[in-house]
Amino acid sequence: LVAVVALSGFSLRRYYRDPSNGPNAGYMQALEYIEAHARPGDGMVTLTPYQHDFPMNYYRGRLPILGLAQAEPPLEGGMVTLLEGTLAAHRRLWLVTAGIQPADPTNGVEEWLAWHAFKASDEWYGDFRLCLYGSPRELSELIPLDIRLGSAIALQGYQIASQSVLPGQILSLSLSWQALAQPDRNYKVFVQLLNPEGQLVAQRDSQPLDGFRPTSTWRPGQEITDRYGLLLPDTLLPGTYQLVVGMYDGETG
């Protein structure tokens, strides 16, 4: 009996060893950040080919968690149904993923989120990434534009979730691009929010569709729906703000 108790204690101590050190330190940091910054109505998706049981052992928050396996696109119907239900149930989604680079063509879950949600942040914690998405609720009708960026790309219009957004919320913006000719390089899109004094208060930079549709792959006549989220600071003051959108060369700036 003594031997069994001692062996059990040794095994549990190894299993529940301090996660703040070692290969899972980044995972623990990501979970602690979620715990500190999550809001009522948030949800979490984990996409970790290894240590999929880690949140069950160490996450102390109360968000519902959808754990998914890495899958290449196109996703099978059951996984799409799970993602659709999770996105519809939460205003914001946290994604924790391990060992997977952004815009990995084999990452069908993150590509699905790029098409259907609005990424507001993407940060590394060691070998783990923590992303925050806004939901696609209540997008406006397409507001038409006819703005040309050089000779190859046009901005045809945009949709926005709401003209009035509170501090701490995600401003969701959908851009409709069209390739007029074959772009000769990969451009990055910037979305900026400026306060009444013209100062930058929020920004998101990314290649189109979170890097899954770089401009060098666009074909003449092709239309691209591109989604961005801006996480507004908790200290943002009331006022009328200006939204600015543009492109720049990703290599030279």
Side-chain angles (χ1 to χ4, degrees):
L1 181 60
V2 172
V4 170
V5 171
L7 181 60
S8 299
F10 175 75
S11 299
L12 287 171
R13 183 181 178 186
R14 291 196 60 188
Y15 188 72
Y16 289 102
R17 63 188 181 277
D18 181 8
S20 60
N21 297 305
N24 292 319
Y27 207 160
M28 194 66 196
Q29 292 170 4
L31 293 177
E32 289 174 344
Y33 187 91
I34 295 174
E35 187 178 349
H37 295 86
R39 290 172 164 256
D42 286 4
M44 188 193 313
V45 175
T46 61
L47 184 65
T48 51
Y50 53 92
Q51 300 294 2
H52 54 273
D53 57 341
F54 194 82
M56 292 184 286
N57 294 329
Y58 296 108
Y59 176 59
R60 298 185 296 271
R62 303 182 63 87
L63 298 188
I65 302 174
L66 173 64
L68 297 175
Q70 185 175 1
E72 295 188 8
L75 298 180
E76 56 93 16
M79 188 173 286
V80 171
T81 299
L82 286 171
L83 283 167
E84 288 176 341
T86 301
L87 191 59
H90 305 289
R91 288 196 172 274
R92 307 194 314 174
L93 270 187
W94 301 88
L95 172 70
V96 184
T97 182
I100 306 175
Q101 294 291 327
D104 187 323
T106 68
N107 189 352
V109 171
E110 201 162 344
E111 182 174 355
W112 188 93
L113 288 170
W115 281 101
H116 296 91
F118 299 83
K119 182 183 279 189
S121 64
D122 189 332
E123 301 291 340
W124 283 96
Y125 291 84
D127 292 333
F128 297 82
R129 276 192 304 124
L130 175 60
C131 307
L132 177 62
Y133 294 85
S135 75
R137 297 182 181 184
E138 301 171 355
L139 276 179
S140 68
E141 296 294 326
L142 182 70
I143 300 171
L145 298 171
D146 184 17
I147 299 175
R148 299 198 174 196
L149 282 68
S151 59
I153 298 173
L155 180 60
Q156 293 185 308
Y158 70 96
Q159 294 172 278
I160 193 166
S162 175
Q163 296 284 352
S164 179
V165 188
L166 297 175
Q169 292 184 346
I170 294 175
L171 187 156
S172 299
L173 176 70
S174 179
L175 303 175
S176 296
W177 303 105
Q178 184 181 35
L180 305 175
Q182 175 74 54
D184 61 354
R185 67 195 70 189
N186 286 327
Y187 292 99
K188 292 188 77 172
V189 178
F190 66 87
V191 179
Q192 299 177 341
L193 190 67
L194 309 181
N195 66 14
E197 290 73 40
Q199 299 169 326
L200 180 67
V201 296
Q203 180 169 348
R204 174 91 179 120
D205 289 38
S206 174
Q207 291 194 40
L209 259 297
D210 200 21
F212 286 99
R213 292 296 183 273
T215 54
S216 64
T217 66
W218 294 6
R219 299 293 177 261
Q222 185 177 10
E223 297 181 356
I224 298 291
T225 300
D226 192 16
R227 297 189 159 188
Y228 297 87
L230 286 180
L231 180 60
L232 304 187
D234 291 331
T235 57
L236 199 65
L237 297 176
T240 300
Y241 290 75
Q242 184 180 17
L243 200 57
V244 182
V245 173
M247 285 185 173
Y248 62 93
D249 188 320
E251 293 186 0
T252 67

